[in-house]
Amino acid sequence: MSDYNFAYLDEQTKRMIRRALLKAVAIPGYQVPFASREMPMPYGWGTGGVQVTAACLVPEDTLKVIDQGADDTTNAVSIRGFFARVADVATTQRTVEASIIQTRHRIPETPLREDQILVYQVPIPEPLRFLEPRETQTRKMHALAEYVLMHVRLYEDIARHGEIAKSYAYPVRVEGRYVMDPSPIPKFDNPKLGDCPALQLFGAGREQRIYALPPYTRVESLDFEDYPFKASKPDQPCALCGASDSYLDEVITDDAGSRMFVCSDTDYCRERRAAGHRGLMAAPFEDDADAELPQ
Amino acid sequence: MSTPLLETDGLTKRYGSRIGCAGVSFTLWPGEVMGIVGESGSGKSTLLSCLAGHLASDAGQIRYRDRHGETHLPATMSEAARRRLAREEWAYVHQNPRDGLRMGVSAGGNIGEPLMARGQRHYGDIREAALSWLERVEIARDRIDDPPRAFSGGMQQRLQIARALVNNPRLVFMDEPTGGLDVSVQARLLDLLRGLVRDLGLSAVIVTHDLAVVRLLADRLMVMQGGYVVESGLTDQVLDDPQHAYTQLLVSSVLQV
Ligand SMILES: Nc1ncnc2c1ncn2[C@@H]1O[C@H](COP(=O)(O)OP(=O)(O)OP(=O)(O)O)[C@@H](O)[C@H]1O
Ligand SMILES: [Mg+2]
Ligand SMILES: [Zn+2]
């Protein structure tokens, strides 16, 4: 029995969210207020992203949900399960198969396409919040494009740590106008925000804000001329697939505290292994267990 | 001294039925320091806030000529344009350093902010400028990474002055810059201000109720009472030969101290 509408939200709510999305697309990087609804999950679970996804879904969609790059965390599994139930859409763990990808904290390694939408779960949409707690003030700063506080903060970082220490939620300037928080993605992902063929939508449930990057938007990470932005990551290849171009998570492999670095994007890692790539600590890939390990 | 820097004509600001300042007309010439004196509540801060664009006046005009010779009417400009003009041409020194500094940001960050606000994006250059301004306001270079919280009141005020002047403003508004400081600290700050004003050829409007401050810094003087300018002229002339009864009272009460 289904006593809810397609994709859970009623049509009126979806229309309201779509209007906010259209406005967000029309003004890249601008935070559009919307009337966030109660969802059958806690705020920390990305209710903003869930509502955006619900407003975008059509029956033909194929949905992928990732949490820190992985399809199999509790959060990702339940959101995927939720939409499979309330919208009856196809789901996938493969980036290339998905038409909508809801994400928390990562951008997939596999380049996105024009026929894809990336939906971000956003905890705190206001990039100036930690510098200026008053909403009236941050609104004024956005309206006047007075963003000097962001650079003051970067200055303080360099003065204190010798470099810009911020490694997540690294602020960006959109089309030379609005400063935007890209959500807590690692700064390694920042270069993928700009000039991206896919539509990128950001939803913050608790804070009731939606913002967007239309395809092929100019996105610049804030920096100084003599301390240019660097999309850094651990300086080694993935232990499983050998990739040296992907963002890595450090995982502890046994009780003795042995550690290895593996792709945070589980789909990317799996596809590479399926294609025969091997890292130094790779077990033989399940599909071709006979393959030789590299020396 | 061919064209005025700042001109006001009948500048008036009311708070409801109460007068803030009324009918203030004066001309400030490039390189000139204008003092505004008067008792508490006479409208000095109100006038200064109107001049600096922090308060919208109810009547009257302000004309400002920028470094490119272009004339602006701040009252008719958009807020964004007015703030840009202020950023590029003016500086404001508050009586309380807390109002003019970011207390949680290092001294270097405080001095660097106006530079960054105008698009400076070279960390090394910003830091160099901050160091050289610290030196100029007699704060040790090695305090550059300390927050103003860790500074004495006099140091905080000197830091505020460095932050105000780092962008080479043409016009500086100061509201009781030496207020709230010990007498000996005041004297040192006054010395410093006088040196800076002279060396940089600054134009300034300084509000104070301390006649010693205007004696030392101001070329000309306006005396305010109840929101009106009751007397104005060359500083020495006004102080040595006051014409208005109120000014006479003001001068004599200081002399009695
Ligand atoms: N925000 C306000 N609302 C209402 N009245 C105000 C406000 N600010 C100032 N006033 C009034 O306007 C008049 C001028 O005040 P102003 O602060 O300009 O005086 P001042 O000369 O700077 O005094 P002080 O030497 O004490 O700083 C006073 O009567 C004051 O009470
Ligand atoms: Mg005052
Ligand atoms: Zn991998």
Side-chain angles (χ1 to χ4, degrees), chain A residues 131-132 137 140-141 143-160 162 173 222-227, chain B residues 79-80 83-84 87 102 104-110 112-114 116-117 119-127 130 144-145:
Chain A
L131 305 166
E132 174 52 71
Q137 288 303 303
K140 191 165 182 173
M141 290 173 184
L144 297 168
E146 287 185 4
Y147 293 121
V148 66
L149 267 186
M150 302 298 314
H151 270 94
V152 169
R153 182 185 190 158
L154 299 182
Y155 169 95
E156 294 287 288
D157 252 15
I158 301 172
R160 216 170 295 152
R173 188 99 190 235
L222 303 182
D223 62 1
F224 286 101
E225 288 157 18
D226 45 345
Y227 286 83
Chain B
E79 183 173 13
R83 287 167 76 102
R84 194 176 326 117
R87 219 161 35 229
R102 292 189 191 283
V105 167
S106 70
N110 266 290
E113 178 175 342
M116 294 183 249
Q120 170 66 260
R121 290 291 178 265
H122 191 283
Y123 175 85
D125 291 352
I126 294 165
R127 193 132 175 110
I144 187 168
D145 294 328

Short mmCIF file of all heavy atoms in Angstrom, two decimals, chain A residues 131-132 137 140-141 143-160 162 173 222-227, chain B residues 79-80 83-84 87 102 104-110 112-114 116-117 119-127 130 144-145:
data_model
loop_
_atom_site.label_atom_id
_atom_site.label_comp_id
_atom_site.label_asym_id
_atom_site.label_seq_id
_atom_site.Cartn_x
_atom_site.Cartn_y
_atom_site.Cartn_z
N LEU A 131 32.46 32.99 10.32
CA LEU A 131 33.12 34.28 10.45
C LEU A 131 32.14 35.34 10.92
O LEU A 131 32.52 36.28 11.61
CB LEU A 131 33.71 34.70 9.10
CG LEU A 131 34.65 33.67 8.48
CD1 LEU A 131 34.90 33.99 7.02
CD2 LEU A 131 35.95 33.67 9.24
N GLU A 132 30.89 35.20 10.55
CA GLU A 132 29.87 36.20 10.90
C GLU A 132 28.58 35.47 11.23
O GLU A 132 27.87 35.04 10.33
CB GLU A 132 29.69 37.16 9.72
CG GLU A 132 28.56 38.15 9.89
CD GLU A 132 28.64 38.93 11.19
OE1 GLU A 132 29.54 39.77 11.32
OE2 GLU A 132 27.80 38.67 12.11
N GLN A 137 23.87 40.20 8.56
CA GLN A 137 25.17 40.63 8.06
C GLN A 137 25.63 39.79 6.87
O GLN A 137 26.13 40.31 5.88
CB GLN A 137 26.21 40.56 9.19
CG GLN A 137 26.03 41.65 10.23
CD GLN A 137 26.07 43.04 9.62
OE1 GLN A 137 27.03 43.44 8.97
NE2 GLN A 137 25.00 43.80 9.81
N LYS A 140 23.85 40.75 3.76
CA LYS A 140 24.35 42.01 3.23
C LYS A 140 25.67 41.79 2.50
O LYS A 140 25.90 42.35 1.43
CB LYS A 140 24.54 42.98 4.39
CG LYS A 140 24.79 44.38 3.98
CD LYS A 140 24.59 45.29 5.19
CE LYS A 140 24.79 46.73 4.80
NZ LYS A 140 24.45 47.63 5.91
N MET A 141 26.53 40.95 3.08
CA MET A 141 27.82 40.68 2.44
C MET A 141 27.61 40.04 1.07
O MET A 141 28.28 40.39 0.10
CB MET A 141 28.65 39.75 3.31
CG MET A 141 29.15 40.43 4.59
SD MET A 141 29.96 39.22 5.68
CE MET A 141 30.30 40.26 7.09
N ALA A 143 24.88 40.34 -0.78
CA ALA A 143 24.22 41.31 -1.65
C ALA A 143 25.25 42.29 -2.23
O ALA A 143 25.18 42.65 -3.39
CB ALA A 143 23.15 42.08 -0.87
N LEU A 144 26.22 42.69 -1.40
CA LEU A 144 27.21 43.67 -1.83
C LEU A 144 28.47 43.01 -2.38
O LEU A 144 29.41 43.68 -2.77
CB LEU A 144 27.58 44.59 -0.66
CG LEU A 144 26.43 45.45 -0.11
CD1 LEU A 144 26.83 46.09 1.21
CD2 LEU A 144 26.03 46.51 -1.12
N ALA A 145 28.46 41.67 -2.40
CA ALA A 145 29.65 40.91 -2.84
C ALA A 145 30.89 41.34 -2.07
O ALA A 145 31.98 41.47 -2.62
CB ALA A 145 29.87 41.05 -4.35
N GLU A 146 30.70 41.57 -0.78
CA GLU A 146 31.85 41.94 0.08
C GLU A 146 32.31 40.69 0.82
O GLU A 146 31.77 40.33 1.85
CB GLU A 146 31.45 43.06 1.04
CG GLU A 146 31.31 44.38 0.33
CD GLU A 146 31.03 45.55 1.27
OE1 GLU A 146 31.01 45.37 2.49
OE2 GLU A 146 30.82 46.66 0.74
N TYR A 147 33.31 40.07 0.25
CA TYR A 147 33.75 38.77 0.76
C TYR A 147 35.13 38.80 1.40
O TYR A 147 35.78 37.77 1.51
CB TYR A 147 33.75 37.75 -0.39
CG TYR A 147 32.37 37.45 -0.89
CD1 TYR A 147 32.03 37.67 -2.23
CD2 TYR A 147 31.40 36.93 -0.04
CE1 TYR A 147 30.76 37.38 -2.70
CE2 TYR A 147 30.12 36.63 -0.49
CZ TYR A 147 29.81 36.85 -1.84
OH TYR A 147 28.56 36.55 -2.28
N VAL A 148 35.57 39.99 1.80
CA VAL A 148 36.93 40.10 2.31
C VAL A 148 37.17 39.17 3.50
O VAL A 148 38.27 38.65 3.67
CB VAL A 148 37.27 41.55 2.65
CG1 VAL A 148 36.43 42.04 3.82
CG2 VAL A 148 38.75 41.69 2.98
N LEU A 149 36.13 38.91 4.29
CA LEU A 149 36.29 38.04 5.45
C LEU A 149 36.84 36.67 5.07
O LEU A 149 37.59 36.06 5.82
CB LEU A 149 34.95 37.85 6.16
CG LEU A 149 34.64 38.80 7.29
CD1 LEU A 149 33.35 38.40 7.97
CD2 LEU A 149 35.78 38.82 8.29
N MET A 150 36.46 36.18 3.92
CA MET A 150 36.96 34.87 3.49
C MET A 150 38.47 34.91 3.35
O MET A 150 39.17 34.00 3.75
CB MET A 150 36.35 34.46 2.14
CG MET A 150 34.85 34.38 2.09
SD MET A 150 34.07 33.17 3.18
CE MET A 150 35.02 31.74 2.95
N HIS A 151 38.96 35.99 2.76
CA HIS A 151 40.41 36.09 2.58
C HIS A 151 41.13 36.38 3.89
O HIS A 151 42.25 35.95 4.08
CB HIS A 151 40.75 37.11 1.49
CG HIS A 151 40.83 36.47 0.13
ND1 HIS A 151 39.77 36.42 -0.73
CD2 HIS A 151 41.83 35.78 -0.47
CE1 HIS A 151 40.11 35.75 -1.81
NE2 HIS A 151 41.36 35.35 -1.69
N VAL A 152 40.46 37.12 4.78
CA VAL A 152 41.05 37.33 6.10
C VAL A 152 41.26 35.98 6.77
O VAL A 152 42.30 35.71 7.35
CB VAL A 152 40.14 38.24 6.97
CG1 VAL A 152 40.62 38.24 8.41
CG2 VAL A 152 40.11 39.66 6.41
N ARG A 153 40.28 35.12 6.60
CA ARG A 153 40.40 33.80 7.21
C ARG A 153 41.55 32.99 6.59
O ARG A 153 42.31 32.33 7.30
CB ARG A 153 39.09 33.05 7.03
CG ARG A 153 39.19 31.72 7.69
CD ARG A 153 37.99 30.89 7.45
NE ARG A 153 38.06 29.74 8.33
CZ ARG A 153 37.00 29.04 8.67
NH1 ARG A 153 35.84 29.38 8.23
NH2 ARG A 153 37.14 27.98 9.43
N LEU A 154 41.67 33.07 5.27
CA LEU A 154 42.77 32.36 4.62
C LEU A 154 44.11 32.95 5.05
O LEU A 154 45.09 32.23 5.27
CB LEU A 154 42.63 32.42 3.09
CG LEU A 154 41.36 31.79 2.50
CD1 LEU A 154 41.37 31.88 0.98
CD2 LEU A 154 41.21 30.35 2.94
N TYR A 155 44.15 34.28 5.17
CA TYR A 155 45.36 34.95 5.66
C TYR A 155 45.74 34.39 7.03
O TYR A 155 46.90 34.06 7.28
CB TYR A 155 45.15 36.47 5.74
CG TYR A 155 46.27 37.17 6.49
CD1 TYR A 155 47.35 37.73 5.81
CD2 TYR A 155 46.28 37.21 7.89
CE1 TYR A 155 48.39 38.32 6.50
CE2 TYR A 155 47.31 37.78 8.59
CZ TYR A 155 48.37 38.34 7.90
OH TYR A 155 49.41 38.90 8.60
N GLU A 156 44.75 34.31 7.93
CA GLU A 156 45.00 33.83 9.29
C GLU A 156 45.53 32.40 9.27
O GLU A 156 46.40 32.04 10.05
CB GLU A 156 43.72 33.89 10.12
CG GLU A 156 43.22 35.29 10.37
CD GLU A 156 44.06 36.06 11.39
OE1 GLU A 156 44.00 35.74 12.59
OE2 GLU A 156 44.81 36.96 10.95
N ASP A 157 44.99 31.61 8.37
CA ASP A 157 45.45 30.23 8.22
C ASP A 157 46.93 30.18 7.87
O ASP A 157 47.71 29.46 8.48
CB ASP A 157 44.68 29.56 7.07
CG ASP A 157 43.69 28.53 7.60
OD1 ASP A 157 43.41 28.56 8.81
OD2 ASP A 157 43.21 27.71 6.79
N ILE A 158 47.31 30.97 6.88
CA ILE A 158 48.71 30.96 6.44
C ILE A 158 49.61 31.51 7.55
O ILE A 158 50.67 30.95 7.84
CB ILE A 158 48.89 31.78 5.14
CG1 ILE A 158 48.02 31.21 4.02
CG2 ILE A 158 50.36 31.79 4.71
CD1 ILE A 158 47.98 32.06 2.77
N ALA A 159 49.13 32.59 8.21
CA ALA A 159 49.94 33.18 9.29
C ALA A 159 50.16 32.15 10.40
O ALA A 159 51.23 32.10 11.00
CB ALA A 159 49.24 34.42 9.83
N ARG A 160 49.16 31.35 10.66
CA ARG A 160 49.23 30.42 11.78
C ARG A 160 49.87 29.09 11.40
O ARG A 160 50.66 28.54 12.15
CB ARG A 160 47.82 30.17 12.31
CG ARG A 160 47.76 30.01 13.81
CD ARG A 160 46.32 30.02 14.30
NE ARG A 160 45.64 31.28 14.09
CZ ARG A 160 44.31 31.41 13.93
NH1 ARG A 160 43.55 30.35 13.93
NH2 ARG A 160 43.78 32.60 13.77
N GLY A 162 51.26 28.32 8.16
CA GLY A 162 52.18 28.32 7.04
C GLY A 162 51.53 27.92 5.72
O GLY A 162 52.17 27.89 4.67
N ARG A 173 34.35 30.78 -5.39
CA ARG A 173 33.64 31.92 -5.98
C ARG A 173 33.01 31.43 -7.27
O ARG A 173 33.68 30.82 -8.10
CB ARG A 173 34.64 33.04 -6.27
CG ARG A 173 33.99 34.34 -6.70
CD ARG A 173 33.92 35.26 -5.51
NE ARG A 173 33.11 36.45 -5.78
CZ ARG A 173 33.57 37.69 -5.62
NH1 ARG A 173 34.80 37.89 -5.23
NH2 ARG A 173 32.79 38.73 -5.85
N LEU A 222 39.05 29.97 -3.60
CA LEU A 222 39.69 31.20 -3.12
C LEU A 222 41.13 30.91 -2.69
O LEU A 222 41.41 29.89 -2.08
CB LEU A 222 38.92 31.77 -1.94
CG LEU A 222 37.44 32.09 -2.19
CD1 LEU A 222 36.82 32.71 -0.94
CD2 LEU A 222 37.28 33.02 -3.37
N ASP A 223 42.02 31.81 -2.99
CA ASP A 223 43.42 31.60 -2.60
C ASP A 223 44.19 32.92 -2.70
O ASP A 223 43.61 33.97 -2.92
CB ASP A 223 44.07 30.51 -3.46
CG ASP A 223 44.11 30.88 -4.94
OD1 ASP A 223 43.67 31.99 -5.32
OD2 ASP A 223 44.62 30.08 -5.74
N PHE A 224 45.49 32.84 -2.51
CA PHE A 224 46.38 33.98 -2.73
C PHE A 224 47.31 33.65 -3.90
O PHE A 224 47.61 32.48 -4.16
CB PHE A 224 47.21 34.27 -1.47
CG PHE A 224 46.43 34.90 -0.36
CD1 PHE A 224 45.99 34.13 0.70
CD2 PHE A 224 46.14 36.25 -0.37
CE1 PHE A 224 45.26 34.70 1.74
CE2 PHE A 224 45.41 36.83 0.66
CZ PHE A 224 44.97 36.06 1.71
N GLU A 225 47.79 34.70 -4.55
CA GLU A 225 48.70 34.49 -5.69
C GLU A 225 49.91 33.66 -5.28
O GLU A 225 50.34 32.78 -6.02
CB GLU A 225 49.17 35.84 -6.24
CG GLU A 225 48.10 36.62 -6.98
CD GLU A 225 48.39 38.11 -7.02
OE1 GLU A 225 49.55 38.50 -6.78
OE2 GLU A 225 47.45 38.88 -7.29
N ASP A 226 50.46 33.97 -4.11
CA ASP A 226 51.67 33.26 -3.69
C ASP A 226 51.36 32.03 -2.83
O ASP A 226 52.29 31.34 -2.39
CB ASP A 226 52.64 34.21 -2.96
CG ASP A 226 51.95 35.10 -1.93
OD1 ASP A 226 50.71 35.22 -1.97
OD2 ASP A 226 52.65 35.68 -1.10
N TYR A 227 50.09 31.77 -2.59
CA TYR A 227 49.67 30.52 -1.93
C TYR A 227 48.49 29.95 -2.72
O TYR A 227 47.37 29.91 -2.23
CB TYR A 227 49.28 30.75 -0.46
CG TYR A 227 50.47 30.97 0.43
CD1 TYR A 227 51.04 32.23 0.55
CD2 TYR A 227 51.04 29.91 1.15
CE1 TYR A 227 52.16 32.45 1.35
CE2 TYR A 227 52.14 30.12 1.96
CZ TYR A 227 52.69 31.39 2.05
OH TYR A 227 53.79 31.58 2.85
N GLU B 79 24.00 51.86 -2.08
CA GLU B 79 24.83 51.50 -0.94
C GLU B 79 26.15 50.87 -1.40
O GLU B 79 27.22 51.15 -0.86
CB GLU B 79 24.10 50.53 -0.01
CG GLU B 79 24.95 50.22 1.21
CD GLU B 79 24.23 49.42 2.26
OE1 GLU B 79 23.15 48.87 1.98
OE2 GLU B 79 24.77 49.33 3.38
N ALA B 80 26.06 50.03 -2.44
CA ALA B 80 27.27 49.37 -2.93
C ALA B 80 28.28 50.39 -3.42
O ALA B 80 29.47 50.31 -3.12
CB ALA B 80 26.91 48.38 -4.05
N ARG B 83 29.75 52.38 -0.48
CA ARG B 83 30.73 51.60 0.27
C ARG B 83 32.03 51.48 -0.51
O ARG B 83 33.11 51.44 0.06
CB ARG B 83 30.17 50.23 0.61
CG ARG B 83 29.12 50.31 1.71
CD ARG B 83 28.36 49.02 1.82
NE ARG B 83 29.11 47.98 2.49
CZ ARG B 83 28.92 47.61 3.75
NH1 ARG B 83 28.04 48.24 4.48
NH2 ARG B 83 29.61 46.63 4.27
N ARG B 84 31.92 51.38 -1.82
CA ARG B 84 33.13 51.32 -2.65
C ARG B 84 33.91 52.62 -2.54
O ARG B 84 35.13 52.62 -2.36
CB ARG B 84 32.78 51.01 -4.11
CG ARG B 84 33.98 50.60 -4.94
CD ARG B 84 33.62 50.20 -6.36
NE ARG B 84 32.33 49.57 -6.47
CZ ARG B 84 31.29 50.05 -7.15
NH1 ARG B 84 31.41 51.19 -7.82
NH2 ARG B 84 30.13 49.42 -7.19
N ARG B 87 35.59 52.72 0.72
CA ARG B 87 36.71 51.79 0.75
C ARG B 87 37.94 52.37 0.06
O ARG B 87 39.06 52.17 0.47
CB ARG B 87 36.28 50.50 0.04
CG ARG B 87 36.77 49.27 0.68
CD ARG B 87 36.00 48.02 0.28
NE ARG B 87 35.50 47.96 -1.07
CZ ARG B 87 34.24 47.64 -1.38
NH1 ARG B 87 33.38 47.39 -0.43
NH2 ARG B 87 33.86 47.57 -2.63
N ARG B 102 38.76 43.79 14.35
CA ARG B 102 38.22 42.44 14.59
C ARG B 102 39.05 41.84 15.71
O ARG B 102 40.23 41.53 15.53
CB ARG B 102 38.35 41.59 13.34
CG ARG B 102 37.46 42.06 12.24
CD ARG B 102 37.42 41.08 11.09
NE ARG B 102 36.76 41.71 9.95
CZ ARG B 102 35.45 41.87 9.84
NH1 ARG B 102 34.65 41.42 10.79
NH2 ARG B 102 34.93 42.47 8.80
N GLY B 104 39.07 39.04 17.17
CA GLY B 104 39.51 37.65 17.08
C GLY B 104 40.53 37.39 15.98
O GLY B 104 41.02 36.28 15.83
N VAL B 105 40.82 38.43 15.21
CA VAL B 105 41.74 38.28 14.07
C VAL B 105 43.08 38.90 14.45
O VAL B 105 43.13 39.91 15.15
CB VAL B 105 41.13 38.97 12.83
CG1 VAL B 105 42.15 39.12 11.72
CG2 VAL B 105 39.91 38.19 12.34
N SER B 106 44.16 38.32 13.99
CA SER B 106 45.50 38.80 14.34
C SER B 106 45.70 40.25 13.90
O SER B 106 44.98 40.77 13.05
CB SER B 106 46.56 37.93 13.68
OG SER B 106 46.56 38.16 12.28
N ALA B 107 46.71 40.89 14.49
CA ALA B 107 47.03 42.27 14.11
C ALA B 107 47.29 42.36 12.61
O ALA B 107 46.79 43.26 11.93
CB ALA B 107 48.25 42.76 14.90
N GLY B 108 48.05 41.40 12.08
CA GLY B 108 48.35 41.39 10.65
C GLY B 108 47.09 41.27 9.81
O GLY B 108 46.95 41.95 8.79
N GLY B 109 46.18 40.41 10.24
CA GLY B 109 44.92 40.24 9.52
C GLY B 109 44.08 41.50 9.57
O GLY B 109 43.43 41.87 8.59
N ASN B 110 44.11 42.19 10.71
CA ASN B 110 43.37 43.44 10.84
C ASN B 110 43.90 44.51 9.91
O ASN B 110 43.14 45.23 9.27
CB ASN B 110 43.43 43.93 12.29
CG ASN B 110 42.24 43.48 13.11
OD1 ASN B 110 41.12 43.94 12.89
ND2 ASN B 110 42.47 42.54 14.02
N GLY B 112 45.68 43.89 7.25
CA GLY B 112 45.59 43.39 5.87
C GLY B 112 44.20 43.47 5.28
O GLY B 112 44.04 43.54 4.06
N GLU B 113 43.19 43.46 6.15
CA GLU B 113 41.82 43.37 5.63
C GLU B 113 41.46 44.46 4.61
O GLU B 113 40.93 44.15 3.54
CB GLU B 113 40.81 43.36 6.78
CG GLU B 113 39.38 43.32 6.28
CD GLU B 113 38.34 43.19 7.37
OE1 GLU B 113 38.71 42.77 8.50
OE2 GLU B 113 37.17 43.48 7.09
N PRO B 114 41.74 45.74 4.91
CA PRO B 114 41.38 46.76 3.91
C PRO B 114 42.11 46.54 2.57
O PRO B 114 41.56 46.84 1.52
CB PRO B 114 41.83 48.07 4.57
CG PRO B 114 41.88 47.78 6.02
CD PRO B 114 42.28 46.34 6.14
N MET B 116 42.98 43.58 1.35
CA MET B 116 42.28 42.47 0.70
C MET B 116 40.93 42.91 0.17
O MET B 116 40.47 42.46 -0.88
CB MET B 116 42.13 41.30 1.67
CG MET B 116 43.46 40.67 2.06
SD MET B 116 43.24 39.23 3.14
CE MET B 116 43.91 39.85 4.69
N ALA B 117 40.27 43.81 0.91
CA ALA B 117 38.97 44.31 0.47
C ALA B 117 39.08 45.04 -0.86
O ALA B 117 38.14 45.12 -1.62
CB ALA B 117 38.37 45.24 1.52
N GLY B 119 41.14 44.05 -3.15
CA GLY B 119 41.56 43.11 -4.18
C GLY B 119 43.00 42.66 -4.10
O GLY B 119 43.46 41.91 -4.97
N GLN B 120 43.73 43.10 -3.08
CA GLN B 120 45.12 42.64 -2.93
C GLN B 120 45.10 41.14 -2.64
O GLN B 120 44.44 40.69 -1.71
CB GLN B 120 45.79 43.42 -1.80
CG GLN B 120 47.15 42.91 -1.36
CD GLN B 120 48.21 43.05 -2.43
OE1 GLN B 120 48.52 42.09 -3.13
NE2 GLN B 120 48.75 44.24 -2.57
N ARG B 121 45.81 40.35 -3.44
CA ARG B 121 45.75 38.90 -3.29
C ARG B 121 47.14 38.27 -3.17
O ARG B 121 47.31 37.10 -3.47
CB ARG B 121 45.03 38.28 -4.51
CG ARG B 121 43.55 38.57 -4.57
CD ARG B 121 42.79 37.86 -3.48
NE ARG B 121 41.37 38.17 -3.52
CZ ARG B 121 40.80 39.12 -2.78
NH1 ARG B 121 41.52 39.87 -1.96
NH2 ARG B 121 39.50 39.34 -2.86
N HIS B 122 48.11 39.06 -2.75
CA HIS B 122 49.46 38.51 -2.58
C HIS B 122 49.77 38.50 -1.09
O HIS B 122 49.98 39.56 -0.49
CB HIS B 122 50.47 39.34 -3.36
CG HIS B 122 51.82 38.69 -3.45
ND1 HIS B 122 52.72 38.69 -2.40
CD2 HIS B 122 52.42 38.01 -4.45
CE1 HIS B 122 53.82 38.05 -2.76
NE2 HIS B 122 53.66 37.62 -3.99
N TYR B 123 49.80 37.31 -0.51
CA TYR B 123 49.98 37.19 0.93
C TYR B 123 51.26 37.89 1.39
O TYR B 123 51.25 38.64 2.37
CB TYR B 123 50.01 35.72 1.33
CG TYR B 123 50.33 35.49 2.79
CD1 TYR B 123 49.32 35.53 3.75
CD2 TYR B 123 51.63 35.24 3.21
CE1 TYR B 123 49.60 35.35 5.09
CE2 TYR B 123 51.93 35.05 4.56
CZ TYR B 123 50.92 35.10 5.49
OH TYR B 123 51.20 34.91 6.81
N GLY B 124 52.35 37.65 0.70
CA GLY B 124 53.64 38.22 1.09
C GLY B 124 53.60 39.75 1.10
O GLY B 124 54.13 40.38 2.02
N ASP B 125 52.94 40.33 0.10
CA ASP B 125 52.84 41.80 0.05
C ASP B 125 51.98 42.33 1.19
O ASP B 125 52.29 43.37 1.79
CB ASP B 125 52.24 42.25 -1.29
CG ASP B 125 53.20 42.00 -2.45
OD1 ASP B 125 54.36 41.62 -2.18
OD2 ASP B 125 52.78 42.17 -3.62
N ILE B 126 50.89 41.62 1.45
CA ILE B 126 49.98 42.04 2.53
C ILE B 126 50.73 42.02 3.86
O ILE B 126 50.66 42.94 4.67
CB ILE B 126 48.75 41.12 2.58
CG1 ILE B 126 47.90 41.30 1.31
CG2 ILE B 126 47.91 41.38 3.84
CD1 ILE B 126 46.87 40.22 1.09
N ARG B 127 51.49 40.95 4.06
CA ARG B 127 52.24 40.79 5.30
C ARG B 127 53.31 41.88 5.44
O ARG B 127 53.50 42.45 6.50
CB ARG B 127 52.89 39.41 5.27
CG ARG B 127 53.42 39.01 6.60
CD ARG B 127 52.99 37.60 6.95
NE ARG B 127 53.61 37.22 8.18
CZ ARG B 127 52.94 37.06 9.32
NH1 ARG B 127 51.65 37.21 9.34
NH2 ARG B 127 53.58 36.74 10.41
N ALA B 130 51.64 45.03 6.40
CA ALA B 130 51.21 44.99 7.81
C ALA B 130 52.40 45.23 8.72
O ALA B 130 52.32 46.00 9.68
CB ALA B 130 50.55 43.65 8.11
N ILE B 144 52.80 40.72 15.22
CA ILE B 144 51.93 40.69 14.04
C ILE B 144 50.88 39.59 14.08
O ILE B 144 49.79 39.73 13.56
CB ILE B 144 52.76 40.59 12.73
CG1 ILE B 144 51.85 40.73 11.50
CG2 ILE B 144 53.56 39.28 12.66
CD1 ILE B 144 52.57 40.93 10.20
N ASP B 145 51.20 38.46 14.73
CA ASP B 145 50.25 37.36 14.74
C ASP B 145 49.41 37.31 16.02
O ASP B 145 48.62 36.38 16.21
CB ASP B 145 50.99 36.03 14.54
CG ASP B 145 51.60 35.95 13.15
OD1 ASP B 145 51.00 36.53 12.22
OD2 ASP B 145 52.67 35.33 12.99
#
